[in-house]
Amino acid sequence: MDFRFYFLKEGTRIYEKSDLITYFQANPNITLQKRMEDRIFIYHHPILNFEARFIMTSKSCVPHLERLNPKYFDVNFLVEFDVLLPTYSVELILDIVEEIVKIFRFHVYNQAYEDVLPFRRSIMIKAFEAWKRAYKDSHEDEIAKYNRLDPQTISQVYGYLLRKAKLEILLDKNKVVISNYFFLHTQRSRTAFVAISWDGYSPFILPPAVDILHLNDGKINKYLPMSEIFQKAEKLFKPIDGYGVIQIMDAKNTKKFHKILTKERFAPLTVELKVLSMDKILDI
């Protein structure tokens, strides 16, 4: 199901369509498709792998337009995206929407609104999340096919993924492993777990929100809870200046860390963990 914001303009429906087209053409992550007389500008996030469609339509699509304040005119332009997107992704879409609204002096409308409003990010997010919750409540069978991370965890995960390229520039990848996330789940629960792997000897980056460390040093292959690891070895991790909760295990501490992981006692796993793709995780 798609969620939509519609664009309207006060006092007139006239705006520079060619300027809007140029705006989209300047974004390398946006491609154009045509459907009959409609232009569909598809924004694809290259790292987080989600889409939004900005559509210039040939006729009005605003539901119940006659109920809205008549001083606002439909400009036959809207944005739509999956109602199940994580809120973090919608925030990134709204970054584009905010620019467009400022440039063309648009107002926005959604069916959750009583009337047309100026751009208000908090209100727009609130409307989206209300629709998402309503969709979840009426489509529980569909939602059950997905696993879940809470919104704060997804924000931390996505934030790291967006900063990972800068870390690769800052640090020598031949000397420090820039850790990749992978995700795990069990058959008994919708809860997803955030994990990274370690080879047992290389310095590495510890991203935020990690639940499980997979140790695979060629001899030992096991999954360890990060909460217990921190109890025993938190002081061995060092923060990276300017990168918030992202930490590093440097070369001088790797042997000590490996010894802790192999010699100390950790709670054994009582469930089977299976790998999960990120597109099968929701924040509801």
Side-chain angles (χ1 to χ4, degrees):
M1 176 182 170
D2 289 325
F3 178 85
R4 297 180 177 92
F5 285 113
Y6 303 89
F7 297 89
L8 297 95
K9 197 169 175 68
E10 185 175 354
T12 179
R13 58 170 50 90
I14 298 172
Y15 71 98
E16 292 294 338
K17 292 183 180 180
S18 58
D19 288 354
L20 182 56
I21 293 170
T22 299
Y23 172 87
F24 287 130
Q25 290 175 335
N27 189 323
N29 298 318
I30 292 178
T31 56
L32 171 63
Q33 288 185 1
K34 290 188 177 181
R35 182 179 60 199
M36 304 295 286
E37 297 180 38
D38 296 344
R39 291 187 183 93
I40 306 172
F41 297 90
I42 301 173
Y43 170 73
H44 179 263
H45 197 286
I47 297 174
L48 303 183
N49 194 31
F50 65 85
E51 288 187 350
R53 293 168 296 280
F54 292 85
I55 305 174
M56 299 173 70
T57 65
S58 58
K59 59 183 179 181
S60 176
C61 295
V62 178
H64 307 298
L65 180 62
E66 71 281 357
R67 300 178 186 175
L68 305 182
N69 190 324
K71 75 176 182 178
Y72 296 108
F73 291 79
D74 183 13
V75 297
N76 298 352
F77 177 51
L78 62 98
V79 60
E80 65 179 21
F81 45 87
D82 192 332
V83 73
L84 293 180
L85 279 184
T87 299
Y88 188 98
S89 299
V90 176
E91 290 275 12
L92 298 181
I93 295 169
L94 291 186
D95 288 343
I96 300 174
V97 171
E98 184 172 15
E99 277 194 338
I100 292 171
V101 165
K102 286 181 178 178
I103 293 170
F104 297 96
R105 298 183 180 179
F106 291 150
H107 286 61
V108 293
Y109 174 71
N110 174 267
Q111 286 173 270
Y113 293 3
E114 291 184 3
D115 206 343
V116 182
L117 294 174
F119 180 93
R120 295 287 185 273
R121 184 180 292 264
S122 61
I123 295 174
M124 296 169 81
I125 289 295
K126 184 177 180 181
F128 167 72
E129 290 183 336
W131 275 72
K132 181 162 59 174
R133 287 192 300 269
Y135 185 87
K136 174 183 179 292
D137 291 343
S138 59
H139 295 81
E140 293 289 3
D141 290 342
E142 178 184 349
I143 300 300
K145 297 175 183 177
Y146 292 85
N147 288 85
R148 180 183 184 276
L149 287 173
D150 65 79
Q152 181 179 1
T153 297
I154 283 191
S155 293
Q156 290 181 320
V157 167
Y158 282 10
Y160 172 73
L161 293 175
L162 294 180
R163 304 183 82 179
K164 190 166 172 281
K166 290 184 178 179
L167 283 170
E168 291 171 348
I169 296 172
L170 175 69
L171 303 170
D172 186 342
K173 290 189 291 183
N174 295 319
K175 296 181 180 179
V176 180
V177 176
I178 313 299
S179 299
N180 293 312
Y181 286 124
F182 65 100
F183 304 94
L184 300 165
H185 72 111
T186 72
Q187 295 289 4
R188 299 179 182 178
S189 171
R190 285 190 63 227
T191 300
F193 300 97
V194 183
I196 60 169
S197 286
W198 184 48
D199 60 15
Y201 63 88
S202 298
F204 69 97
I205 295 298
L206 176 65
V210 174
D211 300 306
I212 296 171
L213 177 70
H214 175 219
L215 173 63
N216 187 358
D217 64 4
K219 296 179 180 179
I220 298 173
N221 186 353
K222 61 181 179 180
Y223 295 89
L224 301 167
M226 204 67 218
S227 58
E228 291 189 34
I229 290 173
F230 266 135
Q231 290 175 10
K232 303 173 189 294
E234 184 175 8
K235 64 182 180 181
L236 300 181
F237 291 96
K238 305 298 180 185
I240 301 175
D241 289 344
Y243 282 80
V245 294
I246 301 174
Q247 300 182 74
I248 187 171
M249 171 65 63
D250 58 28
K252 68 180 182 181
N253 286 319
T254 54
K255 287 185 178 179
K256 188 182 295 185
F257 186 57
H258 184 263
K259 184 177 180 180
I260 290 172
L261 298 188
T262 54
K263 301 300 182 182
E264 296 280 346
R265 292 175 62 88
F266 291 89
L269 284 176
T270 58
V271 292
E272 182 183 1
L273 295 172
K274 295 186 177 181
V275 176
L276 176 71
S277 62
M278 193 168 71
D279 62 356
K280 291 297 182 181
I281 299 174
L282 303 178
D283 63 355
I284 54 173

